[in-house]
């Protein structure tokens, strides 16, 4: 469903605006007591880029973002935002970066309007001054401007939080899992808003555990257990996947995955929605071989066919290798 | 400046929207002043006496009559067996047992001396002491009179007596409520200040709003000032409200300057709010704040001398009290309100409160920086 956006996303702004780095991360490490949350991560986000940190919970996405937001100090390494060091120049960074934490962090007992005014004042500006930037988003919640923020729906809260993060016209926007816990329609709307903001020249770093959202970014970093597994455009990542991939289903899915994993010619088998995505050892296993094996195991309504890989397949493959 | 103003405005809106908080701000002074001041009284009233009169003479009856005539004592029960009295003491039904032994009058006439036994329930040491001394003075009085009577001297012209005339200054009728009211006011200000400030910062932590604020260019000092000012205002409002109740309900004489009361109130609040902030920078949840605040409140208040005179505490406790802001403020309140002390009399308290306030506030600011 998102193929069209992949193309428009991966070609242009990066090349067009390639005016240098907005965010630069060099060998950053951070531990909490015994847990090493981030291990020697290096990556660069270009100006005007929409960059995604993709990975499951515990991948280190939030920690990395908090270091960039000057809320945490790294153990090792260096990072700059808009050319400013996150440790030394933290005051400058706070003036030019907008942040939306993973958890809704506005005042629940203030109204929509009061929250917006409050954060505008704290940034020494006014809502009127930067209304242009937030107009598209704010008009959607304006009818509820006298409602307490705590009484808004999930999607509304998220729009309010985004408005507050944009109120001081930041150059860089950092969004920590903005779409977690939000319904599918609101998620789609949210990404459209991000695209519009990107067109206004804002560099966006966004994290998400949803693989399908990765395709909406210009480039993504696939993260797992505090490490970056790969960084590239979603298109290149998918293109780089050269394995032969099968989608398989039967009417006994639970047994199917167990049977496939016990089969000596199976390399990997993962559940992807209604199907299992399966690779064979050395990519030399034919579809008919799987079929014959599974027929013997009494699977009915069996379907086996070739399938194009997605980002998630790439991610699983990277995990499997590691 | 504008930022601070907005933080203040935000705090007030939040208090206004918090119905529980609003009710507390109004109800706490009312309840504390009306209930605590009345209840925490040491005025001696109604001590129940168990009388064991084994003598049954006119002298023993006269003594019993004297006690009964006093407004403080009621003879509740009588028996001929002191053990019955002891049982009543155990049951807490009577506070005192007076045993008049057989031959009391005879001994008194023949030997010029006789003994009485007074058993006092001393579970509550203070009340026992007080009851005992009242009873003893009634007996002493009785004693003095019979000597005079028997020697045929007129009652009011007894020889060889030193007559002590005592006058109680600053609270001549020993009105206990007047003594309690300024103390309870001090507790009131402490309670409101400590809880409000302790809760508010930790609430920002719990709701995650601190995370959003920390990435803004707001300065800690702006934020903390904006946060503290509303609580100073609210606590001072409660102080005025409490004073008004004391004036209207107890007719509390406010001898000293109200400026001094409020001036010290502000100084004191800075320290208390600093402590509240300090607690909430260390704690992660409102529950933790409650526990820690409660702990400090207990120690401060019980050590501070609301119920027991600090002068009779052991020396080390008096030294510890120098670090107890409640102790100093309670003293200031009593001295200014009851005695009309001026600033010159309160230099010691002023310096102590300044040091404590500065310490708590700077610790809070320092801790807040580290957690951010």
């Amino acid at each position: 469903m998102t193929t069209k956006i992949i193309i428009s996303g991966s070609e242009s702004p990066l090349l067009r605006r390639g005016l240098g780095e907005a965010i630069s991360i060099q060998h950053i490490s951070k531990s909490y007591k015994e847990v090493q949350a981030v291990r020697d991560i290096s990556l660069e986000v270009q100006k005007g880029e929409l960059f995604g940190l993709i990975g499951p919970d515990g991948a280190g996405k939030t920690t990395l973002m908090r270091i960039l937001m000057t809320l945490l100090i790294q153990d090792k390494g260096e990072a700059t935002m808009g050319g400013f060091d996150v440790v030394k120049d933290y005051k400058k960074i706070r003036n030019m970066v907008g942040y939306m934490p993973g958890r809704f962090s506005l005042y629940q007992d203030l109204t929509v309007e009061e929250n917006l005014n409050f954060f505008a004042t704290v940034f020494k500006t006014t809502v009127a001054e930067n209304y242009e930037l937030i107009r598209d988003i704010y008009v959607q919640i304006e009818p509820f401007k006298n409602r307490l923020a705590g009484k808004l729906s999930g999607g509304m809260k998220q729009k309010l939080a985004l408005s507050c993060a944009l109120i001081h016209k930041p150059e860089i926007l950092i969004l920590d899992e903005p779409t977690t816990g939000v319904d599918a329609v609101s998620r789609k709307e949210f990404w459209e808003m991000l695209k519009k903001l990107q067109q206004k020249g804002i560099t966006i770093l966004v994290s998400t555990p949803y693989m399908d959202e990765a395709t909406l970014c210009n480039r993504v970093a696939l993260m797992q257990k505090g490490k970056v597994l790969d960084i590239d455009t979603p298109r290149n990542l998918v293109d780089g996947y050269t394995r032969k991939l099968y989608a398989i289903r039967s009417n006994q899915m639970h047994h199917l995955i167990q049977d496939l994993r016990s089969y000596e010619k199976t390399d990997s088998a993962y559940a992807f929605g209604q199907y299992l995505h399966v690779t064979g050892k050395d990519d030399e296993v034919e579809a008919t071989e799987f079929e014959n094996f599974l027929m013997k195991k009494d699977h009915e309504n069996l379907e086996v066919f070739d399938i194009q890989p997605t980002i998630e397949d790439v991610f699983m493959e990277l995990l499997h290798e590691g | 400046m504008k930022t601070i103003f907005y933080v203040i405005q935000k705090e007030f809106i939040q208090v206004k929207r918090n119905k529980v908080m609003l009710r507390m701000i109004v109800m706490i002074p009312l309840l504390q002043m009306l209930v605590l001041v009345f209840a925490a009284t040491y005025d001696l009233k109604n001590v129940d006496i168990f009388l064991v009169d084994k003598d049954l003479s006119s002298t023993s009856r006269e003594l019993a009559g004297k006690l009964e005539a006093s407004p403080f004592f009621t003879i509740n029960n009588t028996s001929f067996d002191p053990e019955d009295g002891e049982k009543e003491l155990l049951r807490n039904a009577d506070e005192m047992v007076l045993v008049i032994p057989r031959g009391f009058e005879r001994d008194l006439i023949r030997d010029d001396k006789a003994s009485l036994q007074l058993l006092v329930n001393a579970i509550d040491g203070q009340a026992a002491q007080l009851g005992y001394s009242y009873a003893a003075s009634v007996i002493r009085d009785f004693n003095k009179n019979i000597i005079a009577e028997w020697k045929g001297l007129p009652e009011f012209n007894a020889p060889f007596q030193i007559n002590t005339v005592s006058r109680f200054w600053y609270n001549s009728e020993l009105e206990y409520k007047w003594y309690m009211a300024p103390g309870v006011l001090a507790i009131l200000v402490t309670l409101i200040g400590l809880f409000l400030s302790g809760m508010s910062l930790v609430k920002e932590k719990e709701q995650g709003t601190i995370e959003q604020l920390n990435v803004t260019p707001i300065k800690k000092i702006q934020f903390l000032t904006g946060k503290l000012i509303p609580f100073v205002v609210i606590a001072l409002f409660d102080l005025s409200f409490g004073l008004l109740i004391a004036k209207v309900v107890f007719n509390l004489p406010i001898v000293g300057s109200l400026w001094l009361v409020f001036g010290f109130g502000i100084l004191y609040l800075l320290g208390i709010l600093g402590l509240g902030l300090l607690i909430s920078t260390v704690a992660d949840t409102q529950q933790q704040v409650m526990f820690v605040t409660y702990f400090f409140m207990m120690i401060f208040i019980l050590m501070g001398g609301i119920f027991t005179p600090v002068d009779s505490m052991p020396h080390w406790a008096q030294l510890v009290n120098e670090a107890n802001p409640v102790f100093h403020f309670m003293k200031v309140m009593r001295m200014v309100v009851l005695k009309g002390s001026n600033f010159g009399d309160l230099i010691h308290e002023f310096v102590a409160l300044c040091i404590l306030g500065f310490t708590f506030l700077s610790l809070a600011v320092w801790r807040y920086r580290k957690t951010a």
Side-chain angles (χ1 to χ4, degrees):
Chain A
M1 73 178 187
T2 49
T3 339
K4 273 181 190 164
I5 307 175
I6 295 177
I7 294 164
S8 74
S10 55
E11 38 178 43
S12 51
L14 164 64
L15 303 170
R16 198 169 59 231
R17 290 205 193 84
L19 303 168
E21 300 141 6
I23 304 172
S24 160
I25 300 169
Q26 303 296 336
H27 305 291
I28 289 276
S29 293
K30 174 76 191 177
S31 304
Y32 301 108
K33 287 178 187 152
E34 277 149 38
V35 185
Q36 200 169 2
V38 168
R39 303 158 196 245
D40 193 27
I41 285 186
S42 299
L43 61 88
E44 262 135 37
V45 178
Q46 304 299 318
K47 277 192 182 144
E49 197 173 16
L50 174 50
F51 192 98
L53 297 177
I54 317 291
D57 290 346
K61 305 184 301 275
T62 300
T63 304
L64 189 60
M65 287 186 156
R66 285 173 56 89
I67 291 172
L68 291 176
M69 279 320 298
T70 72
L71 290 169
L72 270 181
I73 294 178
Q74 68 271 26
D75 300 335
K76 272 183 219 142
E78 277 172 17
T80 62
M81 298 258 280
F84 296 116
D85 187 275
V86 291
V87 179
K88 273 181 279 174
D89 302 320
Y90 71 96
K91 280 182 184 160
K92 285 181 187 138
I93 287 176
R94 288 175 185 184
N95 273 311
M96 51 160 277
V97 183
Y99 175 51
M100 195 173 142
R103 205 176 126 208
F104 182 70
S105 308
L106 301 177
Y107 292 98
Q108 315 247 6
D109 46 358
L110 295 187
T111 64
V112 168
E113 204 178 16
E114 285 162 350
N115 264 303
L116 205 56
N117 278 328
F118 177 72
F119 282 100
T121 315
V122 166
F123 278 108
K124 297 194 192 325
T125 177
T126 58
V127 177
E129 212 171 303
N130 296 317
Y131 190 69
E132 189 55 34
L133 187 62
I134 60 164
R135 192 181 53 210
D136 292 346
I137 306 158
Y138 189 58
V139 285
Q140 301 177 48
I141 46 174
E142 207 160 18
F144 311 101
K145 66 181 184 184
N146 291 321
R147 192 179 286 190
L148 296 186
K151 299 246 156 79
L152 293 174
S153 69
M156 297 277 192
K157 276 184 180 164
Q158 183 203 40
K159 279 168 196 158
L160 175 59
L162 185 58
S163 301
C164 286
L166 287 169
I167 197 67
H168 57 297
K169 223 177 169 179
E171 291 167 35
I172 301 172
L173 194 55
I174 292 192
L175 311 161
D176 191 2
E177 299 200 3
T179 52
T180 300
V182 174
D183 65 85
V185 178
S186 297
R187 268 172 65 187
K188 194 159 171 280
E189 276 178 15
F190 193 81
W191 277 91
E192 280 160 14
M193 286 188 273
L194 290 190
K195 285 282 173 192
K196 279 188 189 162
L197 290 171
Q198 187 193 9
Q199 278 158 19
K200 288 177 180 167
I202 298 175
T203 306
I204 301 171
L205 178 66
V206 58
S207 72
T208 177
Y210 302 121
M211 297 294 164
D212 57 327
E213 290 182 345
T215 54
L216 302 171
C217 301
N218 297 137
R219 284 195 305 150
V220 293
L222 299 180
M223 291 178 69
Q224 161 79 357
K225 289 183 181 155
K227 280 185 183 156
V228 169
L229 304 175
D230 205 349
I231 302 176
D232 213 329
T233 63
R235 165 53 56 96
N236 285 349
L237 283 172
V238 173
D239 287 352
Y241 187 91
T242 51
R243 313 258 339 238
K244 202 164 181 188
L245 191 67
Y246 297 103
I248 303 180
R249 71 173 293 181
S250 79
N251 55 359
Q252 286 169 289
M253 291 303 276
H254 183 64
H255 282 286
L256 186 64
I257 195 162
Q258 287 178 342
D259 289 342
L260 278 169
R261 281 183 178 166
S262 67
Y263 185 37
E264 75 276 4
K265 288 188 177 174
T266 305
D267 190 29
S268 69
Y270 297 102
F272 275 68
Q274 294 177 317
Y275 290 86
L276 297 184
H277 284 194
V278 181
T279 55
K281 285 256 158 68
D282 304 321
D283 294 321
E284 283 168 354
V285 190
E286 295 297 324
T288 46
E289 287 182 69
F290 282 118
E291 222 162 327
N292 291 336
F293 168 75
L294 290 168
M295 299 278 252
K296 273 182 234 155
K297 296 273 180 183
D298 300 332
H299 285 279
E300 288 167 19
N301 297 340
L302 198 64
E303 289 178 51
V304 179
F305 55 90
D306 288 5
I307 193 171
Q308 287 301 309
T310 66
I311 289 273
E312 199 162 354
D313 295 306
V314 177
F315 190 77
M316 293 316 261
E317 179 62 23
L318 286 169
L319 285 189
H320 193 60
E321 282 171 10
Chain B
M1 256 338 269
K2 205 174 153 218
T3 312
I4 295 183
F5 171 76
Y6 257 82
V7 178
I8 294 175
Q9 194 190 32
K10 181 212 91 181
E11 287 299 325
F12 272 121
I13 294 176
Q14 287 184 304
V15 171
K16 195 183 79 190
R17 299 241 164 93
N18 190 338
K19 295 281 175 283
V20 177
M21 190 87 101
L22 270 188
R23 258 177 249 150
M24 295 267 282
I25 290 170
V26 179
M27 291 309 288
I28 288 179
L30 266 175
L31 281 178
Q32 285 217 331
M33 290 309 287
L34 295 181
V35 177
L36 262 189
V37 174
F38 274 117
T41 171
Y42 281 157
D43 288 347
L44 190 68
K45 275 183 204 121
N46 255 335
V47 176
D48 289 326
I49 292 186
F50 189 98
L51 180 68
V52 183
D53 185 357
K54 290 189 187 165
D55 196 40
L56 288 177
S57 62
S58 63
T59 314
S60 72
R61 277 192 203 113
E62 203 181 328
L63 175 60
K66 284 266 184 203
L67 279 172
E68 183 81 288
S70 147
F72 304 113
F73 300 106
T74 318
I75 292 175
N76 210 17
N77 269 309
T78 54
S79 157
F80 293 111
D81 188 355
E83 277 185 21
D84 290 344
E86 279 170 39
K87 275 181 204 149
E88 291 298 287
L89 278 189
L90 269 178
R91 279 181 50 218
N92 251 8
D94 291 308
E95 274 104 288
M96 250 185 239
V97 180
L98 176 66
V99 184
I100 305 176
R102 187 169 296 132
F104 170 72
E105 189 183 52
R106 188 197 58 212
D107 289 350
L108 200 59
I109 295 171
R110 193 192 293 161
D111 305 338
D112 263 359
K113 76 176 180 209
S115 352
L116 289 170
Q117 187 183 24
L118 200 55
L119 304 170
V120 186
N121 173 10
I123 281 187
D124 179 348
Q126 202 107 22
Q129 197 80 49
L130 213 55
Y132 165 75
S133 62
Y134 274 56
S137 86
V138 170
I139 294 166
R140 201 161 44 239
D141 224 32
F142 171 77
N143 188 12
K144 203 163 71 189
N145 286 345
I146 50 172
I147 294 169
E149 207 176 302
W150 290 352
K151 294 202 170 158
L153 294 167
E155 190 176 343
F156 297 105
N157 193 18
F160 323 125
Q161 275 188 32
I162 295 173
N163 219 353
T164 318
V165 180
S166 41
R167 170 156 150 49
F168 297 101
W169 277 42
Y170 311 124
N171 188 356
S172 54
E173 282 154 45
L174 285 182
E175 178 67 79
Y176 207 80
K177 291 185 204 76
W178 292 356
Y179 173 71
M180 282 307 287
V184 173
L185 279 173
I187 291 181
L188 174 69
V189 173
T190 316
L191 190 80
I192 295 284
L194 207 54
F195 274 106
L196 284 184
S197 61
M199 287 301 174
S200 87
L201 191 62
V202 91
K203 205 174 141 204
E204 303 245 3
K205 270 197 212 173
E206 268 187 351
Q207 297 205 341
T209 47
I210 198 95
E211 185 97 338
Q212 194 85 57
L213 269 175
N214 279 344
V215 298
T216 70
I218 192 170
K219 294 192 181 73
K220 324 257 153 177
I221 207 78
Q222 287 174 325
F223 178 60
L224 292 180
T225 314
K227 252 187 142 26
L228 290 190
I229 289 177
F231 302 139
V232 173
V233 173
I234 292 171
L236 288 183
F237 163 79
D238 271 350
L239 177 59
S240 336
F241 189 35
L243 270 173
L244 189 72
I245 297 174
K247 183 80 200 161
V248 173
V249 181
F250 312 121
N251 194 24
L252 175 75
I254 300 170
V255 184
S257 136
L258 276 181
W259 290 110
L260 209 53
V261 170
F262 282 93
F264 267 98
I266 292 173
L267 176 64
Y268 174 65
L269 275 169
L270 289 182
I272 286 297
L273 297 182
L275 180 65
L277 277 184
L278 181 61
I279 293 172
S280 68
T281 55
V282 182
D284 291 319
T285 63
Q286 300 195 38
Q287 208 170 28
Q288 290 173 0
V289 170
M290 285 290 281
F291 269 120
V292 181
T293 316
Y294 188 74
F295 167 78
F296 275 107
M297 289 277 296
M298 283 291 276
I299 291 191
F300 280 172
I301 291 174
L302 290 182
M303 296 273 304
I306 176 114
F307 300 121
T308 42
V310 173
D311 292 333
S312 48
M313 290 181 188
H315 185 63
W316 61 262
Q318 296 188 33
L319 285 181
V320 171
N321 254 332
E322 287 298 324
N324 176 359
V326 177
F327 162 69
H328 294 291
F329 187 58
M330 209 175 276
K331 209 162 156 188
V332 169
M333 287 295 288
R334 280 174 177 159
M335 282 172 80
V336 176
V337 170
L338 297 178
K339 243 185 185 178
S341 299
N342 56 35
F343 185 73
D345 305 321
L346 300 167
I347 295 285
H348 177 82
E349 282 68 31
F350 178 76
V351 172
L353 284 177
C354 280
I355 294 174
L356 288 173
F358 181 77
T359 313
F360 289 145
L361 269 182
S362 29
L363 276 176
V365 173
W366 172 71
R367 265 298 308 190
Y368 177 65
R369 198 186 307 267
K370 278 189 88 172
T371 53

